Structure formats: structure tokens, C-alpha cells
Amino acid sequence: MNGPGNSLKESAETQPVFVLSRPQLGRNIGAAARAMLNFGLDRLRLVDPRDGWPSEDAIAMASGAGRVVDGAELYPTVADALSDCSFVFATTARRREANLPVVPPSEAAAEARARAEAGQRVGFLFGPERAGLENVELARAGAIVSVPSNPEFSSLNLAQCVLLIAYEWNLARFDKECFDFRHERLQPSKLGAKEVLADKLECDLERAGYFWPESKSDGMKLNLRSLILRLELSDPEVRTLHGVRKALKRMGSSGGLGAEREAAAGGVAE
Amino acid sequence: MNGPGNSLKESAETQPVFVLSRPQLGRNIGAAARAMLNFGLDRLRLVDPRDGWPSEDAIAMASGAGRVVDGAELYPTVADALSDCSFVFATTARRREANLPVVPPSEAAAEARARAEAGQRVGFLFGPERAGLENVELARAGAIVSVPSNPEFSSLNLAQCVLLIAYEWNLARFDKECFDFRHERLQPSKLGAKEVLADKLECDLERAGYFWPESKSDGMKLNLRSLILRLELSDPEVRTLHGVRKALKRMGSSGGLGAEREAAAGGVAE
């Protein structure tokens, strides 16, 4: 799903490049491509993929993002792949470079957005599955992105790491206020409509001898009313509950299907 | 890497359960397990995995998170898998349920944290790879989690979706603001208790001829169940509604005050 009424088309000029250094498995490259396109990104660069290129596995795993795989650019070295970038974030689970700032994905995304809007090309660099980035590759980075994770099991799958960066990049384009997804809910019914439901139910239950013993009846009535009034119900749902109430109370009576069908129609009038 | 100087050990009591409904591919189950453990989560439940269980593919893809795969619990239905949950978030790219709040993962995680801190068990429900969740499964949810994504390519891989929820769940633990509300609320009843109420009401209404016309009866049943399952009710309130149901259905019948008083006592047994 998308944010409020926007297209997620990212311009080729401002979107970051994602550089996978020495990726081992084609299926991870494909999954990374799919994750990128899930968030409107399609500038994928590969440095020396272990199993060669193109890759059948990559295309199979891309699952609809084949054009990102097809459009991936091959480079012999990380330096080449990053040469047109103004700023590079390196992703790693190990913070070997004490001299670089280490930021979580959300901060990296915000920073990358700001730089992209200022006309800079930003790169995100991802290391190979097993070994991660080498220090010589990290040397191209201006900052390290590190995902806050389980210290006892911190190694993210390559495509999962790509996904988190793409996800945060996308989030960073919205102000927090934009995430008002709740406007499409049905309008809640007004209190008055629920009072009517409570009134009729109370009346029925009074006749059924439900509020018993007498000494507790006021408390029982209040509790029941309170329960009904705080339910989050739409108007159609209030009508449904009226229909349910009427159907139930006619169950044991002599009323034939006619009465029941009237109840099923959900009308409130009696 | 991990957050600022903390262990990510999540207690089995407070962590959410992740329920994969009818997952198709073992490798996605394994990747989901890995993604969960990356963020300290290990309570995985499976409903009717297509290719059977256990799965070699799942173990291979778990890549170090084998214990999450080994510990996965199997259930025959979504209702069974969620029966001990007090609140359920369903993940879907399609917002078919206009009457549920739709929130991004960050908000869902904050809400889930708050509920877990208040002693509630929270479930996250994920649909099968190709088709997503069915409406009858969505009926168990109190809210829909939707990932803001590319409208032209919004379908996330199952394990990627699991990853984003686990990632945001983990981030939410650092957000102090999540923890300081809702403390005065009554403990909500578990989904299983509301399912029983829905079952008995449906049975009564079936006998009353309420689900009419026949062509609409399935939709009416689903709407009614969905309405009941998402009500925020405490256990005493669920018992109250059982009592109300029984009192109403005995109104027109020959049952004397004795039967009505039994109903008034609010017992569920019939």
C-alpha cells in the first residue's frame, strides 16, 4: 500500500544507488531487487558477483522486479561502482571503523534524503553474505549504517538489509503527519444511536427478569449501558445489533419466520 | 549491532506471536524465522503450511535460527493459532476491510508494545505468499498493518514483511513514549473467548432464521463475527453478553423466572 495519494516514482537523478559488493547468491540479488522496487527504487549496481552474471536465480527471485535485475550495472570494483557518488553509507553488522559515524537506518535515510535534495548522489554499499565488507571497501564510506538487532544473532540476510534501507528511505520522504491512515474508517456512530440500543436492550432485559437480584439491578444496568456506549461501532453495526437483539428475543416465541425476517432486515422500528 | 547497551532477550511472556497462515514455501518460513530472531523474537506459529511440516527448506533458510523453526507451533486454523491473543494485527497490502484501522508498521509496533506491557498477548498475522489473507482470517484482526510502499509494486515477500514488523517491534522498545498509557484499562478478553460468544450467537441466530436471505448468509455471519471479535471486551463483559444473549432468547419462550435468573447470573455454561 502507499502513502496518501502519492506516486512512488523516484527520479533517477535523486534516488540513491544500491551497490552490492561481491554478492554470492543470485537469489539474494533478485530478492534485493524486489525489495528495492517495493519502495520505488531501481538503481542497482553489482561488483563482481561470485556466480557470474546474468543469473537465472536472480531473475526467478525478483518476482516482478525483473527490470531492476535486467538494469543492474556491473562494476569491477567498489571504487568504480561508487565513483559518481558524493556520499556513501556502508551497511555492516560489525563496527570495525571507529572513526566513522554509526547511524541507524532511519537516520541514514533522513541524511541521504537531505543530501539527495541538495543535488548529491548518495550510495548505499552492501557487503557479501558471509564475510561482510572489507576495511578497504568501508574506506569509501562517510558513515556506517547499522541495524539495531539481536546481539546474539545480528547477521541480516543481504536482501533483508537492502529492504530495511529502502523502507526507511521511503519513510523519510513523508512527514510524520502524513501517516494518517485512519481517515478511511467508517464514521463511528454517535452516542445517541448507542443510547437507543442500550435503552431497548435494557427494556427487553427488564421484562426478561435479567436484572436480578433487585439490589444489584441498578449497577447491572449501568455496567451494561457503559459497555455498549464505549463500543466502537458504525451506524450499520448498531443496526446489526438491533437485528440480533430482535431475532434472539423472538427465538422462543411463537413468531414465525415473518417476524424473524423482519428482524433480519435490521430495521430499528418495532 | 544492537541498541544502546542492552540485551535483546525478549521474554516469552511479552513478545508477540507471529502467525503465518497457509505459507506456501518452506524457504520463506525459514527466512521469516531468521528475520524474527534477528530482532530477538522466537514465537512462530504456522497454520497449515502447504508443503507439510517439518521442512528441509525452512531449516536451510533459517541459517542459524533453526531453533525458531524447530520451535514453531502448528495449528489447524487461524482461529486456533490466535485463540490466546488479546489483540491481532493483520498484515496485508490490500485494505479490504474498510472498518479496521490501518496503520504503518511503526505505529503497530508502538501499539503492540503498549499492549504487551499491559499484559496482553499480541499476535501478528501474515497471509500466504500469493493470495494474502482471506476476509474470514481478517475478521480476527483489530487493525491492519500496511507497509507504505510502491503502489505499482507493493507486494512484499512474506519474510520481508515479517522482517519489517520485527524490526519496528525492536525499534519501539527504545521509544519511551510507548509505555505510559493504557495502564488503567481492564485486561481484554482473549480472542478464543470472543470466538465462543460468536459461535453461540451464530448458532442461536441460525435457528432464529436471522441469516436470510440464504444468498447473503455467509456475508452476514462473517460481518457479525468480525464485529464481535474486534470489540474490546473484558472477560466479565464477555460473560455479561452471554447472559444477555440467553436472557433475550428465553424472553418469548415458556421459560419461567428460574431460567431467566440463571441467565442473569451470567454463567456461560448451557
mmCIF file of all heavy atoms in Angstrom, chain B residues 136-184:
data_model
loop_
_atom_site.group_PDB
_atom_site.id
_atom_site.type_symbol
_atom_site.label_atom_id
_atom_site.label_comp_id
_atom_site.label_asym_id
_atom_site.label_seq_id
_atom_site.Cartn_x
_atom_site.Cartn_y
_atom_site.Cartn_z
ATOM 1 N N VAL B 136 -12.188 -13.965 5.985
ATOM 2 C CA VAL B 136 -12.539 -14.700 7.194
ATOM 3 C C VAL B 136 -11.356 -14.718 8.169
ATOM 4 O O VAL B 136 -11.545 -14.807 9.378
ATOM 5 C CB VAL B 136 -13.003 -16.130 6.838
ATOM 6 C CG1 VAL B 136 -11.855 -16.953 6.284
ATOM 7 C CG2 VAL B 136 -13.635 -16.804 8.027
ATOM 8 N N GLU B 137 -10.146 -14.608 7.661
ATOM 9 C CA GLU B 137 -8.981 -14.511 8.538
ATOM 10 C C GLU B 137 -8.831 -13.087 9.080
ATOM 11 O O GLU B 137 -8.511 -12.881 10.246
ATOM 12 C CB GLU B 137 -7.717 -14.947 7.788
ATOM 13 C CG GLU B 137 -7.768 -16.415 7.391
ATOM 14 C CD GLU B 137 -6.644 -16.835 6.458
ATOM 15 O OE1 GLU B 137 -6.346 -16.102 5.489
ATOM 16 O OE2 GLU B 137 -6.066 -17.900 6.686
ATOM 17 N N LEU B 138 -9.077 -12.118 8.208
ATOM 18 C CA LEU B 138 -9.001 -10.719 8.643
ATOM 19 C C LEU B 138 -10.017 -10.411 9.741
ATOM 20 O O LEU B 138 -9.839 -9.469 10.523
ATOM 21 C CB LEU B 138 -9.254 -9.780 7.454
ATOM 22 C CG LEU B 138 -8.079 -9.572 6.500
ATOM 23 C CD1 LEU B 138 -8.516 -8.743 5.306
ATOM 24 C CD2 LEU B 138 -6.915 -8.900 7.205
ATOM 25 N N ALA B 139 -11.068 -11.221 9.807
ATOM 26 C CA ALA B 139 -12.107 -10.977 10.810
ATOM 27 C C ALA B 139 -11.563 -11.091 12.229
ATOM 28 O O ALA B 139 -12.173 -10.602 13.175
ATOM 29 C CB ALA B 139 -13.258 -11.954 10.620
ATOM 30 N N ARG B 140 -10.439 -11.758 12.390
ATOM 31 C CA ARG B 140 -9.833 -11.879 13.729
ATOM 32 C C ARG B 140 -9.012 -10.658 14.117
ATOM 33 O O ARG B 140 -8.514 -10.590 15.240
ATOM 34 C CB ARG B 140 -8.918 -13.095 13.791
ATOM 35 C CG ARG B 140 -9.585 -14.362 14.262
ATOM 36 C CD ARG B 140 -10.266 -15.077 13.142
ATOM 37 N NE ARG B 140 -11.308 -15.967 13.632
ATOM 38 C CZ ARG B 140 -12.142 -16.618 12.828
ATOM 39 N NH1 ARG B 140 -12.077 -16.470 11.536
ATOM 40 N NH2 ARG B 140 -13.075 -17.378 13.342
ATOM 41 N N ALA B 141 -8.791 -9.767 13.191
ATOM 42 C CA ALA B 141 -7.850 -8.671 13.443
ATOM 43 C C ALA B 141 -8.540 -7.453 14.029
ATOM 44 O O ALA B 141 -9.698 -7.168 13.734
ATOM 45 C CB ALA B 141 -7.158 -8.283 12.138
ATOM 46 N N GLY B 142 -7.816 -6.751 14.872
ATOM 47 C CA GLY B 142 -8.289 -5.483 15.395
ATOM 48 C C GLY B 142 -7.765 -4.310 14.591
ATOM 49 O O GLY B 142 -8.278 -3.194 14.694
ATOM 50 N N ALA B 143 -6.727 -4.560 13.809
ATOM 51 C CA ALA B 143 -6.152 -3.499 12.985
ATOM 52 C C ALA B 143 -5.368 -4.138 11.844
ATOM 53 O O ALA B 143 -4.946 -5.295 11.940
ATOM 54 C CB ALA B 143 -5.236 -2.598 13.805
ATOM 55 N N ILE B 144 -5.223 -3.371 10.801
ATOM 56 C CA ILE B 144 -4.429 -3.826 9.663
ATOM 57 C C ILE B 144 -3.122 -3.065 9.641
ATOM 58 O O ILE B 144 -3.094 -1.858 9.820
ATOM 59 C CB ILE B 144 -5.212 -3.614 8.350
ATOM 60 C CG1 ILE B 144 -6.331 -4.651 8.267
ATOM 61 C CG2 ILE B 144 -4.297 -3.687 7.137
ATOM 62 C CD1 ILE B 144 -7.197 -4.539 7.053
ATOM 63 N N VAL B 145 -2.033 -3.800 9.459
ATOM 64 C CA VAL B 145 -0.735 -3.160 9.271
ATOM 65 C C VAL B 145 -0.454 -3.124 7.789
ATOM 66 O O VAL B 145 -0.534 -4.147 7.118
ATOM 67 C CB VAL B 145 0.414 -3.954 9.931
ATOM 68 C CG1 VAL B 145 1.669 -3.103 9.959
ATOM 69 C CG2 VAL B 145 0.035 -4.417 11.310
ATOM 70 N N SER B 146 -0.141 -1.963 7.309
ATOM 71 C CA SER B 146 0.127 -1.847 5.886
ATOM 72 C C SER B 146 1.426 -1.075 5.699
ATOM 73 O O SER B 146 1.628 -0.026 6.295
ATOM 74 C CB SER B 146 -1.045 -1.156 5.197
ATOM 75 O OG SER B 146 -1.021 -1.428 3.829
ATOM 76 N N VAL B 147 2.298 -1.632 4.889
ATOM 77 C CA VAL B 147 3.610 -1.025 4.677
ATOM 78 C C VAL B 147 3.497 0.013 3.569
ATOM 79 O O VAL B 147 3.050 -0.319 2.473
ATOM 80 C CB VAL B 147 4.641 -2.101 4.286
ATOM 81 C CG1 VAL B 147 5.988 -1.468 3.984
ATOM 82 C CG2 VAL B 147 4.760 -3.160 5.381
ATOM 83 N N PRO B 148 3.863 1.251 3.857
ATOM 84 C CA PRO B 148 3.835 2.253 2.785
ATOM 85 C C PRO B 148 4.844 1.849 1.713
ATOM 86 O O PRO B 148 6.031 1.749 1.994
ATOM 87 C CB PRO B 148 4.283 3.553 3.485
ATOM 88 C CG PRO B 148 4.222 3.272 4.952
ATOM 89 C CD PRO B 148 4.396 1.794 5.109
ATOM 90 N N SER B 149 4.364 1.564 0.531
ATOM 91 C CA SER B 149 5.266 1.036 -0.497
ATOM 92 C C SER B 149 4.857 1.539 -1.871
ATOM 93 O O SER B 149 3.931 2.332 -2.015
ATOM 94 C CB SER B 149 5.275 -0.489 -0.458
ATOM 95 O OG SER B 149 3.981 -0.977 -0.725
ATOM 96 N N ASN B 150 5.589 1.080 -2.850
ATOM 97 C CA ASN B 150 5.379 1.475 -4.237
ATOM 98 C C ASN B 150 4.011 1.002 -4.721
ATOM 99 O O ASN B 150 3.779 -0.202 -4.814
ATOM 100 C CB ASN B 150 6.499 0.833 -5.064
ATOM 101 C CG ASN B 150 6.452 1.200 -6.527
ATOM 102 O OD1 ASN B 150 5.499 1.821 -6.993
ATOM 103 N ND2 ASN B 150 7.493 0.807 -7.245
ATOM 104 N N PRO B 151 3.099 1.907 -5.055
ATOM 105 C CA PRO B 151 1.757 1.478 -5.454
ATOM 106 C C PRO B 151 1.765 0.602 -6.700
ATOM 107 O O PRO B 151 0.845 -0.179 -6.909
ATOM 108 C CB PRO B 151 1.010 2.793 -5.695
ATOM 109 C CG PRO B 151 2.060 3.839 -5.830
ATOM 110 C CD PRO B 151 3.246 3.374 -5.047
ATOM 111 N N GLU B 152 2.823 0.713 -7.472
ATOM 112 C CA GLU B 152 2.877 -0.103 -8.691
ATOM 113 C C GLU B 152 3.551 -1.452 -8.470
ATOM 114 O O GLU B 152 3.616 -2.290 -9.369
ATOM 115 C CB GLU B 152 3.624 0.669 -9.787
ATOM 116 C CG GLU B 152 2.803 1.843 -10.306
ATOM 117 C CD GLU B 152 3.668 2.887 -10.987
ATOM 118 O OE1 GLU B 152 4.787 2.561 -11.425
ATOM 119 O OE2 GLU B 152 3.224 4.055 -11.053
ATOM 120 N N PHE B 153 4.078 -1.650 -7.272
ATOM 121 C CA PHE B 153 4.748 -2.935 -6.980
ATOM 122 C C PHE B 153 4.797 -3.088 -5.464
ATOM 123 O O PHE B 153 5.839 -2.984 -4.832
ATOM 124 C CB PHE B 153 6.164 -2.945 -7.585
ATOM 125 C CG PHE B 153 6.860 -4.273 -7.503
ATOM 126 C CD1 PHE B 153 6.347 -5.384 -8.161
ATOM 127 C CD2 PHE B 153 8.022 -4.417 -6.773
ATOM 128 C CE1 PHE B 153 6.990 -6.606 -8.080
ATOM 129 C CE2 PHE B 153 8.683 -5.637 -6.695
ATOM 130 C CZ PHE B 153 8.164 -6.728 -7.356
ATOM 131 N N SER B 154 3.647 -3.343 -4.906
ATOM 132 C CA SER B 154 3.542 -3.262 -3.451
ATOM 133 C C SER B 154 3.655 -4.612 -2.755
ATOM 134 O O SER B 154 3.714 -4.673 -1.540
ATOM 135 C CB SER B 154 2.207 -2.620 -3.072
ATOM 136 O OG SER B 154 1.150 -3.438 -3.515
ATOM 137 N N SER B 155 3.689 -5.683 -3.522
ATOM 138 C CA SER B 155 3.661 -7.000 -2.890
ATOM 139 C C SER B 155 5.012 -7.364 -2.295
ATOM 140 O O SER B 155 5.972 -7.662 -3.000
ATOM 141 C CB SER B 155 3.248 -8.050 -3.916
ATOM 142 O OG SER B 155 3.354 -9.332 -3.352
ATOM 143 N N LEU B 156 5.059 -7.353 -0.974
ATOM 144 C CA LEU B 156 6.291 -7.719 -0.278
ATOM 145 C C LEU B 156 6.403 -9.232 -0.153
ATOM 146 O O LEU B 156 5.401 -9.909 0.076
ATOM 147 C CB LEU B 156 6.291 -7.141 1.136
ATOM 148 C CG LEU B 156 6.502 -5.643 1.303
ATOM 149 C CD1 LEU B 156 6.205 -5.263 2.747
ATOM 150 C CD2 LEU B 156 7.917 -5.261 0.941
ATOM 151 N N ASN B 157 7.597 -9.730 -0.257
ATOM 152 C CA ASN B 157 7.862 -11.121 0.092
ATOM 153 C C ASN B 157 7.440 -11.363 1.540
ATOM 154 O O ASN B 157 7.565 -10.486 2.390
ATOM 155 C CB ASN B 157 9.358 -11.392 -0.113
ATOM 156 C CG ASN B 157 9.814 -12.689 0.527
ATOM 157 O OD1 ASN B 157 10.204 -12.692 1.685
ATOM 158 N ND2 ASN B 157 9.751 -13.774 -0.215
ATOM 159 N N LEU B 158 6.935 -12.563 1.809
ATOM 160 C CA LEU B 158 6.443 -12.892 3.151
ATOM 161 C C LEU B 158 7.490 -12.634 4.243
ATOM 162 O O LEU B 158 7.215 -11.988 5.259
ATOM 163 C CB LEU B 158 6.003 -14.366 3.167
ATOM 164 C CG LEU B 158 5.606 -14.964 4.510
ATOM 165 C CD1 LEU B 158 4.482 -14.181 5.161
ATOM 166 C CD2 LEU B 158 5.188 -16.429 4.320
ATOM 167 N N ALA B 159 8.689 -13.133 4.023
ATOM 168 C CA ALA B 159 9.725 -12.970 5.047
ATOM 169 C C ALA B 159 10.132 -11.501 5.186
ATOM 170 O O ALA B 159 10.502 -11.046 6.274
ATOM 171 C CB ALA B 159 10.946 -13.823 4.711
ATOM 172 N N GLN B 160 10.039 -10.749 4.096
ATOM 173 C CA GLN B 160 10.363 -9.325 4.163
ATOM 174 C C GLN B 160 9.333 -8.595 5.022
ATOM 175 O O GLN B 160 9.659 -7.675 5.777
ATOM 176 C CB GLN B 160 10.372 -8.713 2.750
ATOM 177 C CG GLN B 160 11.336 -9.371 1.761
ATOM 178 C CD GLN B 160 12.765 -8.890 1.875
ATOM 179 O OE1 GLN B 160 13.292 -8.792 2.970
ATOM 180 N NE2 GLN B 160 13.405 -8.603 0.755
ATOM 181 N N CYS B 161 8.109 -9.021 4.887
ATOM 182 C CA CYS B 161 7.047 -8.413 5.684
ATOM 183 C C CYS B 161 7.256 -8.740 7.167
ATOM 184 O O CYS B 161 7.145 -7.871 8.033
ATOM 185 C CB CYS B 161 5.703 -8.925 5.188
ATOM 186 S SG CYS B 161 4.313 -8.045 5.870
ATOM 187 N N VAL B 162 7.581 -9.988 7.445
ATOM 188 C CA VAL B 162 7.892 -10.390 8.821
ATOM 189 C C VAL B 162 9.046 -9.549 9.363
ATOM 190 O O VAL B 162 9.017 -9.072 10.501
ATOM 191 C CB VAL B 162 8.236 -11.899 8.880
ATOM 192 C CG1 VAL B 162 8.864 -12.276 10.212
ATOM 193 C CG2 VAL B 162 6.982 -12.735 8.617
ATOM 194 N N LEU B 163 10.059 -9.373 8.529
ATOM 195 C CA LEU B 163 11.223 -8.596 8.949
ATOM 196 C C LEU B 163 10.847 -7.181 9.365
ATOM 197 O O LEU B 163 11.299 -6.683 10.402
ATOM 198 C CB LEU B 163 12.240 -8.522 7.812
ATOM 199 C CG LEU B 163 13.453 -7.622 8.093
ATOM 200 C CD1 LEU B 163 14.511 -8.396 8.864
ATOM 201 C CD2 LEU B 163 14.039 -7.051 6.822
ATOM 202 N N LEU B 164 10.035 -6.521 8.561
ATOM 203 C CA LEU B 164 9.702 -5.127 8.870
ATOM 204 C C LEU B 164 8.944 -5.017 10.195
ATOM 205 O O LEU B 164 9.176 -4.081 10.971
ATOM 206 C CB LEU B 164 8.872 -4.514 7.739
ATOM 207 C CG LEU B 164 9.631 -4.257 6.432
ATOM 208 C CD1 LEU B 164 8.701 -3.651 5.395
ATOM 209 C CD2 LEU B 164 10.832 -3.341 6.680
ATOM 210 N N ILE B 165 8.066 -5.969 10.456
ATOM 211 C CA ILE B 165 7.328 -5.924 11.722
ATOM 212 C C ILE B 165 8.287 -6.167 12.888
ATOM 213 O O ILE B 165 8.250 -5.459 13.905
ATOM 214 C CB ILE B 165 6.196 -6.970 11.728
ATOM 215 C CG1 ILE B 165 5.241 -6.755 10.558
ATOM 216 C CG2 ILE B 165 5.448 -6.919 13.063
ATOM 217 C CD1 ILE B 165 4.544 -5.425 10.538
ATOM 218 N N ALA B 166 9.158 -7.154 12.744
ATOM 219 C CA ALA B 166 10.108 -7.459 13.824
ATOM 220 C C ALA B 166 11.062 -6.281 14.050
ATOM 221 O O ALA B 166 11.387 -5.935 15.186
ATOM 222 C CB ALA B 166 10.892 -8.729 13.479
ATOM 223 N N TYR B 167 11.491 -5.677 12.962
ATOM 224 C CA TYR B 167 12.383 -4.510 13.035
ATOM 225 C C TYR B 167 11.717 -3.362 13.792
ATOM 226 O O TYR B 167 12.303 -2.764 14.701
ATOM 227 C CB TYR B 167 12.731 -4.105 11.598
ATOM 228 C CG TYR B 167 13.378 -2.743 11.406
ATOM 229 C CD1 TYR B 167 14.725 -2.536 11.693
ATOM 230 C CD2 TYR B 167 12.632 -1.682 10.876
ATOM 231 C CE1 TYR B 167 15.307 -1.291 11.470
ATOM 232 C CE2 TYR B 167 13.212 -0.445 10.649
ATOM 233 C CZ TYR B 167 14.557 -0.252 10.952
ATOM 234 O OH TYR B 167 15.120 0.985 10.728
ATOM 235 N N GLU B 168 10.474 -3.077 13.437
ATOM 236 C CA GLU B 168 9.776 -1.970 14.099
ATOM 237 C C GLU B 168 9.430 -2.326 15.546
ATOM 238 O O GLU B 168 9.447 -1.455 16.421
ATOM 239 C CB GLU B 168 8.506 -1.588 13.327
ATOM 240 C CG GLU B 168 8.783 -0.906 11.990
ATOM 241 C CD GLU B 168 9.246 0.551 12.131
ATOM 242 O OE1 GLU B 168 9.481 1.013 13.262
ATOM 243 O OE2 GLU B 168 9.375 1.216 11.082
ATOM 244 N N TRP B 169 9.115 -3.583 15.782
ATOM 245 C CA TRP B 169 8.875 -4.023 17.167
ATOM 246 C C TRP B 169 10.119 -3.722 18.018
ATOM 247 O O TRP B 169 10.032 -3.224 19.125
ATOM 248 C CB TRP B 169 8.555 -5.518 17.199
ATOM 249 C CG TRP B 169 8.636 -6.119 18.572
ATOM 250 C CD1 TRP B 169 9.704 -6.785 19.119
ATOM 251 C CD2 TRP B 169 7.625 -6.096 19.588
ATOM 252 N NE1 TRP B 169 9.405 -7.170 20.407
ATOM 253 C CE2 TRP B 169 8.148 -6.767 20.720
ATOM 254 C CE3 TRP B 169 6.330 -5.576 19.643
ATOM 255 C CZ2 TRP B 169 7.414 -6.928 21.897
ATOM 256 C CZ3 TRP B 169 5.606 -5.741 20.822
ATOM 257 C CH2 TRP B 169 6.141 -6.402 21.924
ATOM 258 N N ASN B 170 11.262 -4.039 17.467
ATOM 259 C CA ASN B 170 12.501 -3.800 18.200
ATOM 260 C C ASN B 170 12.751 -2.314 18.400
ATOM 261 O O ASN B 170 13.086 -1.878 19.505
ATOM 262 C CB ASN B 170 13.664 -4.444 17.450
ATOM 263 C CG ASN B 170 14.982 -4.250 18.173
ATOM 264 O OD1 ASN B 170 15.049 -4.436 19.385
ATOM 265 N ND2 ASN B 170 16.000 -3.856 17.453
ATOM 266 N N LEU B 171 12.562 -1.516 17.342
ATOM 267 C CA LEU B 171 12.770 -0.069 17.481
ATOM 268 C C LEU B 171 11.844 0.515 18.552
ATOM 269 O O LEU B 171 12.232 1.432 19.283
ATOM 270 C CB LEU B 171 12.495 0.651 16.155
ATOM 271 C CG LEU B 171 13.520 0.495 15.033
ATOM 272 C CD1 LEU B 171 13.151 1.414 13.882
ATOM 273 C CD2 LEU B 171 14.936 0.793 15.511
ATOM 274 N N ALA B 172 10.650 -0.021 18.621
ATOM 275 C CA ALA B 172 9.654 0.569 19.521
ATOM 276 C C ALA B 172 10.049 0.423 20.983
ATOM 277 O O ALA B 172 9.537 1.144 21.843
ATOM 278 C CB ALA B 172 8.277 -0.057 19.275
ATOM 279 N N ARG B 173 10.952 -0.494 21.274
ATOM 280 C CA ARG B 173 11.347 -0.651 22.678
ATOM 281 C C ARG B 173 12.175 0.523 23.172
ATOM 282 O O ARG B 173 12.333 0.707 24.369
ATOM 283 C CB ARG B 173 12.109 -1.952 22.885
ATOM 284 C CG ARG B 173 13.513 -1.965 22.335
ATOM 285 C CD ARG B 173 13.975 -3.387 22.121
ATOM 286 N NE ARG B 173 14.034 -4.131 23.363
ATOM 287 C CZ ARG B 173 15.157 -4.363 24.046
ATOM 288 N NH1 ARG B 173 16.302 -3.881 23.614
ATOM 289 N NH2 ARG B 173 15.146 -5.067 25.135
ATOM 290 N N PHE B 174 12.709 1.293 22.246
ATOM 291 C CA PHE B 174 13.503 2.449 22.652
ATOM 292 C C PHE B 174 12.657 3.697 22.804
ATOM 293 O O PHE B 174 13.132 4.735 23.217
ATOM 294 C CB PHE B 174 14.616 2.720 21.635
ATOM 295 C CG PHE B 174 15.500 1.538 21.426
ATOM 296 C CD1 PHE B 174 15.618 0.955 20.182
ATOM 297 C CD2 PHE B 174 16.196 0.996 22.493
ATOM 298 C CE1 PHE B 174 16.427 -0.152 20.004
ATOM 299 C CE2 PHE B 174 17.005 -0.112 22.312
ATOM 300 C CZ PHE B 174 17.124 -0.692 21.076
ATOM 301 N N ASP B 175 11.416 3.566 22.412
ATOM 302 C CA ASP B 175 10.551 4.738 22.413
ATOM 303 C C ASP B 175 9.776 4.803 23.712
ATOM 304 O O ASP B 175 8.755 4.171 23.879
ATOM 305 C CB ASP B 175 9.593 4.642 21.217
ATOM 306 C CG ASP B 175 8.812 5.926 21.026
ATOM 307 O OD1 ASP B 175 8.940 6.822 21.885
ATOM 308 O OD2 ASP B 175 8.092 6.016 20.030
ATOM 309 N N LYS B 176 10.290 5.575 24.639
ATOM 310 C CA LYS B 176 9.718 5.613 25.976
ATOM 311 C C LYS B 176 8.242 5.996 25.967
ATOM 312 O O LYS B 176 7.467 5.556 26.788
ATOM 313 C CB LYS B 176 10.485 6.609 26.856
ATOM 314 C CG LYS B 176 11.898 6.160 27.182
ATOM 315 C CD LYS B 176 11.872 4.932 28.083
ATOM 316 C CE LYS B 176 13.289 4.475 28.396
ATOM 317 N NZ LYS B 176 13.372 3.031 28.582
ATOM 318 N N GLU B 177 7.877 6.809 25.007
ATOM 319 C CA GLU B 177 6.504 7.300 24.984
ATOM 320 C C GLU B 177 5.488 6.195 24.794
ATOM 321 O O GLU B 177 4.317 6.368 25.036
ATOM 322 C CB GLU B 177 6.342 8.338 23.868
ATOM 323 C CG GLU B 177 7.050 9.626 24.188
ATOM 324 C CD GLU B 177 7.094 10.553 22.999
ATOM 325 O OE1 GLU B 177 6.720 10.110 21.906
ATOM 326 O OE2 GLU B 177 7.515 11.701 23.187
ATOM 327 N N CYS B 178 5.965 5.061 24.354
ATOM 328 C CA CYS B 178 5.028 3.967 24.113
ATOM 329 C C CYS B 178 4.513 3.347 25.399
ATOM 330 O O CYS B 178 3.550 2.605 25.386
ATOM 331 C CB CYS B 178 5.700 2.861 23.314
ATOM 332 S SG CYS B 178 6.161 3.370 21.690
ATOM 333 N N PHE B 179 5.202 3.581 26.468
ATOM 334 C CA PHE B 179 4.941 2.758 27.639
ATOM 335 C C PHE B 179 4.049 3.399 28.684
ATOM 336 O O PHE B 179 3.776 2.809 29.699
ATOM 337 C CB PHE B 179 6.262 2.361 28.295
ATOM 338 C CG PHE B 179 7.107 1.513 27.406
ATOM 339 C CD1 PHE B 179 8.202 2.048 26.777
ATOM 340 C CD2 PHE B 179 6.769 0.189 27.184
ATOM 341 C CE1 PHE B 179 8.980 1.260 25.933
ATOM 342 C CE2 PHE B 179 7.534 -0.599 26.355
ATOM 343 C CZ PHE B 179 8.643 -0.056 25.726
ATOM 344 N N ASP B 180 3.625 4.632 28.452
ATOM 345 C CA ASP B 180 2.990 5.308 29.578
ATOM 346 C C ASP B 180 1.509 5.602 29.389
ATOM 347 O O ASP B 180 1.016 6.622 29.820
ATOM 348 C CB ASP B 180 3.753 6.589 29.910
ATOM 349 C CG ASP B 180 3.837 7.492 28.703
ATOM 350 O OD1 ASP B 180 3.146 7.211 27.714
ATOM 351 O OD2 ASP B 180 4.593 8.463 28.755
ATOM 352 N N PHE B 181 0.808 4.720 28.706
ATOM 353 C CA PHE B 181 -0.638 4.910 28.666
ATOM 354 C C PHE B 181 -1.334 3.561 28.743
ATOM 355 O O PHE B 181 -0.697 2.521 28.731
ATOM 356 C CB PHE B 181 -1.086 5.701 27.446
ATOM 357 C CG PHE B 181 -0.705 5.103 26.125
ATOM 358 C CD1 PHE B 181 -1.599 4.354 25.393
ATOM 359 C CD2 PHE B 181 0.577 5.304 25.622
ATOM 360 C CE1 PHE B 181 -1.243 3.826 24.183
ATOM 361 C CE2 PHE B 181 0.935 4.764 24.397
ATOM 362 C CZ PHE B 181 0.019 4.027 23.682
ATOM 363 N N ARG B 182 -2.642 3.609 28.862
ATOM 364 C CA ARG B 182 -3.469 2.417 28.886
ATOM 365 C C ARG B 182 -3.358 1.613 30.178
ATOM 366 O O ARG B 182 -3.911 0.527 30.276
ATOM 367 C CB ARG B 182 -3.119 1.457 27.744
ATOM 368 C CG ARG B 182 -3.474 1.994 26.401
ATOM 369 C CD ARG B 182 -2.965 1.028 25.334
ATOM 370 N NE ARG B 182 -2.968 1.652 24.035
ATOM 371 C CZ ARG B 182 -4.038 1.729 23.278
ATOM 372 N NH1 ARG B 182 -5.157 1.210 23.666
ATOM 373 N NH2 ARG B 182 -3.983 2.336 22.116
ATOM 374 N N HIS B 183 -2.662 2.104 31.152
ATOM 375 C CA HIS B 183 -2.452 1.269 32.335
ATOM 376 C C HIS B 183 -3.727 1.029 33.124
ATOM 377 O O HIS B 183 -3.802 0.113 33.913
ATOM 378 C CB HIS B 183 -1.396 1.897 33.236
ATOM 379 C CG HIS B 183 -1.710 3.301 33.643
ATOM 380 N ND1 HIS B 183 -1.528 4.364 32.785
ATOM 381 C CD2 HIS B 183 -2.214 3.818 34.770
ATOM 382 C CE1 HIS B 183 -1.891 5.477 33.385
ATOM 383 N NE2 HIS B 183 -2.315 5.176 34.586
ATOM 384 N N GLU B 184 -4.732 1.874 32.885
ATOM 385 C CA GLU B 184 -5.939 1.712 33.687
ATOM 386 C C GLU B 184 -6.970 0.809 33.021
ATOM 387 O O GLU B 184 -8.035 0.563 33.571
ATOM 388 C CB GLU B 184 -6.572 3.076 33.968
ATOM 389 C CG GLU B 184 -5.761 3.909 34.941
ATOM 390 C CD GLU B 184 -6.406 5.260 35.166
ATOM 391 O OE1 GLU B 184 -7.610 5.296 35.430
ATOM 392 O OE2 GLU B 184 -5.697 6.268 35.046
#
